Amino acid sequence: MTQKTKFVLVGLAGVLAGAALTVNLSAIANKDAATALPIEELRAFTDVFARIKNDYVEPVDDKKLINGAINGMLNGLDPHSAYLDVEGFKDLQVGTQGEFGGLGIEVGMEDGFVRVVSPIEDTPAFKAGVKPGDLIIKLDDTPVKGMSLGDAVKRMRGKPGSKIKLTISRKGTDKPVVVIITRAVIKIRSVKSKLLENGYGYVRVTQFQEHTGELLADALTDLYKDNKAPLKGLILDLRNDPGGLLNGAVAVTAAFVKPDSLVVYTEGRSEDAKMRLTASRENYLRPMQIDYLKNLPEGVKQVPIVALVNSGSASASEIVAGALQDHKRAVIMGTRTFGKGSVQTILPIGNGTAIKLTTARYFTPNGRSIQAKGIEPDIVVEDPNLPSEDDGLGIREADLDKHLSNPNGGDPAPVVIKPSESIKAAPPAKPGKDGKDKDIKPLTLEPGEIVSKNDFQVNQALNLLKGLQILQGR
């Protein structure tokens, strides 16, 4: 029986980087060998192939036809199954290392156009103002309609320093938005941290990569050193985190929960699509790797946590939020997450290409499916710098064509805090006559800062942690 490398993804919606990716060996040859082939349908396929070869107005290369057929089969299944040519497969593997060339956006296909799931922080696309939910309709002067996702990604990639014009359809705008972006080598440091004030730390995970667990351990250690005492509270920022390597998500969760606690499990048709991943070293470490979570500062597993999420939090970040919520290890604050709850397996074909195939759904420790629903925060705090959830301008998994359904039911209604209802300790904001905040300051970063002092959601999280500290003192 042939052994092939199999990559398992439960994350990013696009091809610009992989999501929730693990590597193992699995025997996939001869699977379902007893399944009868659909002879009539295959005969129809060969007839169409022959007609195109003989009668099409221009000669067509065999490889182009076959690749188009493979693309069509996979694109017709769901928004996340896709064919990866040689370049696309290499890009996916390189992207998980934290460095790749391009614009810095996570994308998927919808109705023949490229839909932005999330711009990656500190990249050219992010700085140019590309937003989650944007629909890319032209690349330079070429319409996207009719392109495969892989072809669109190829056009967006290019030599660092070269420019590309994106024409974007954005909900809430009457005319297409045109942005010109200069390509760059995308280098992403997946964990950023700082001490907000004495006793309260902030950690931002921008994407789950190969070294995210190690970087988190270093960040927590540094925060405790900088504070010179155990932390009173910690903000874990997962906003606009589109996913990443699965072992990275397990590592981040394992840093805060009890050893061997269930983090996530998956269910699919085949036996190797069924996994139970716990907060155990074998589920987040590479072979022979030293356990970087072993010597975390004392108190990390007890420190009160507020985890921030929004509609750009997808897949691996939803796994972390769901696990922390189920284990009652963190208060989840923000807005409902993207809802990417399916598992994609990368199956190399053998000629340098691969297929990305949806093979399972994943579930939180309490058996909740995130698919097409997302994680509902315990406390909803809207971002005043973005459209309200009520405006329906966001894009989530449930909005994508041919998305998988959610196999289980709903959660209790969360507490909702809108900016105009904020407590006095929140950032300066004066409600207008219509009840909306007119004077909320825009998010601006000072040189060397990783989070804005005017970040309303971060300040609300800090207020909550201080309140919890007062209650614990009593």
Side-chain angles (χ1 to χ4, degrees):
M1 186 174 290
T2 303
Q3 294 285 331
K4 292 187 179 180
T5 303
K6 183 182 73 172
F7 299 83
V8 182
L9 297 90
V10 289
L12 304 179
V15 179
L16 297 188
L21 176 72
T22 63
V23 181
N24 55 45
L25 292 177
S26 175
I28 62 171
N30 300 326
K31 188 178 289 186
D32 294 330
T35 302
L37 293 174
I39 301 300
E40 290 301 321
E41 287 76 10
L42 288 174
R43 182 177 291 115
F45 174 82
T46 57
D47 287 346
V48 171
F49 185 91
R51 283 291 184 183
I52 294 172
K53 288 292 294 180
N54 293 329
D55 300 340
Y56 188 66
V57 65
E58 295 177 347
V60 185
D61 181 66
D62 289 347
K63 183 178 179 181
K64 180 178 181 180
L65 285 175
I66 293 171
N67 286 349
I70 295 172
N71 265 313
M73 282 193 290
L74 291 162
N75 290 341
L77 296 174
D78 64 76
H80 309 296
S81 294
Y83 174 63
L84 303 178
D85 61 15
V86 175
E87 186 177 346
F89 189 23
K90 287 181 180 178
D91 286 343
L92 183 143
Q93 293 170 290
V94 171
T96 63
Q97 305 299 314
E99 180 176 333
F100 53 94
L103 307 180
I105 48 178
E106 305 300 339
V107 295
M109 289 298 289
E110 181 179 343
D111 296 329
F113 297 107
V114 175
R115 176 74 77 176
V116 176
V117 174
S118 180
I120 301 171
E121 192 171 312
D122 295 331
T123 63
F126 181 88
K127 294 173 182 177
V130 177
K131 300 180 182 299
D134 281 351
L135 202 65
I136 300 174
I137 57 178
K138 279 187 180 181
L139 296 170
D140 287 325
D141 295 322
T142 305
V144 172
K145 189 75 171 179
M147 287 186 194
S148 68
L149 182 59
D151 288 339
V153 169
K154 283 182 186 177
R155 286 178 177 268
M156 285 188 279
R157 290 189 180 276
K159 185 178 179 180
S162 62
K163 296 184 178 181
I164 185 171
K165 180 173 68 175
L166 303 186
T167 303
I168 292 169
S169 174
R170 180 176 293 164
K171 287 186 178 179
T173 60
D174 297 331
K175 297 180 180 180
V177 176
V178 177
V179 293
I180 297 176
I181 305 177
T182 301
R183 297 180 179 93
V185 175
I186 309 300
K187 294 182 179 181
I188 303 171
R189 182 174 175 84
S190 62
V191 178
K192 303 175 182 180
S193 63
K194 70 167 294 182
L195 198 64
L196 293 176
E197 56 183 73
N198 186 38
Y200 297 95
Y202 171 88
V203 175
R204 166 122 174 83
V205 181
T206 60
Q207 191 176 338
F208 292 88
Q209 299 171 350
E210 184 177 340
H211 300 291
T212 297
E214 298 167 76
L215 292 172
L216 175 70
D218 291 343
L220 292 171
T221 300
D222 290 344
L223 284 173
Y224 273 77
K225 286 181 179 178
D226 293 342
N227 194 56
K228 298 181 175 59
L231 292 176
K232 300 175 184 178
L234 179 70
I235 298 173
L236 177 63
D237 193 347
L238 300 173
R239 293 174 299 174
N240 296 318
D241 181 333
L245 297 174
L246 179 55
N247 63 334
V250 175
V252 170
T253 306
F256 302 113
V257 301
K258 295 179 181 178
D260 300 322
S261 299
L262 181 61
V263 176
V264 64
Y265 69 92
T266 67
E267 292 184 354
R269 292 172 61 197
S270 64
E271 285 303 315
D272 57 355
K274 299 173 183 177
M275 300 183 291
R276 289 181 66 85
L277 299 178
T278 60
S280 308
R281 55 174 293 146
E282 63 268 19
N283 290 325
Y284 59 81
L285 294 179
R286 298 185 300 276
M288 307 300 293
Q289 187 180 16
I290 297 175
D291 190 354
Y292 44 77
L293 298 183
K294 185 177 181 180
N295 297 314
L296 283 174
E298 186 177 355
V300 166
K301 293 191 183 297
Q302 288 80 41
V303 62
I305 300 171
V306 174
L308 292 175
V309 297
N310 63 7
S311 62
S313 305
S315 196
S317 54
E318 293 176 287
I319 287 175
V320 174
L324 294 178
Q325 191 176 50
D326 282 3
H327 288 298
K328 301 187 184 305
R329 187 62 192 87
V331 175
I332 310 301
M333 178 181 284
T335 54
R336 183 164 57 90
T337 61
F338 184 78
K340 171 73 168 56
S342 60
V343 179
Q344 281 68 50
T345 303
I346 300 298
L347 299 172
I349 295 176
N351 58 352
T353 66
I355 62 171
K356 181 173 68 160
L357 185 67
T358 300
T359 56
R361 292 179 176 88
Y362 65 79
F363 297 81
T364 71
N366 287 352
R368 295 182 295 155
S369 171
I370 299 169
Q371 176 57 26
K373 178 181 178 183
I375 295 294
E376 289 284 359
D378 300 303
I379 302 176
V380 173
V381 177
E382 295 182 350
D383 185 345
N385 292 282
L386 295 175
S388 169
E389 291 285 295
D390 298 333
D391 294 337
L393 299 182
I395 182 71
R396 292 186 171 85
E397 175 79 7
D399 301 313
L400 301 180
D401 188 33
K402 298 187 287 289
H403 67 269
L404 296 180
S405 61
N406 187 298
N408 53 24
D411 294 328
V415 177
V416 178
I417 298 178
K418 294 190 176 184
S420 58
E421 301 164 353
S422 60
I423 59 179
K424 292 182 179 179
K430 298 178 181 179
K433 294 180 180 180
D434 59 357
K436 295 183 178 180
D437 294 299
K438 299 296 185 183
D439 298 334
I440 288 182
K441 298 178 181 179
L443 298 183
T444 55
L445 286 178
E446 298 178 5
E449 292 295 329
I450 64 170
V451 62
S452 172
K453 294 179 180 179
N454 301 322
D455 192 316
F456 181 80
Q457 292 172 315
V458 168
N459 280 285
Q460 287 293 326
L462 187 59
N463 290 335
L464 178 60
L465 288 171
K466 290 178 178 179
L468 292 174
Q469 183 67 23
I470 293 171
L471 291 175
Q472 287 179 348
R474 291 178 179 175

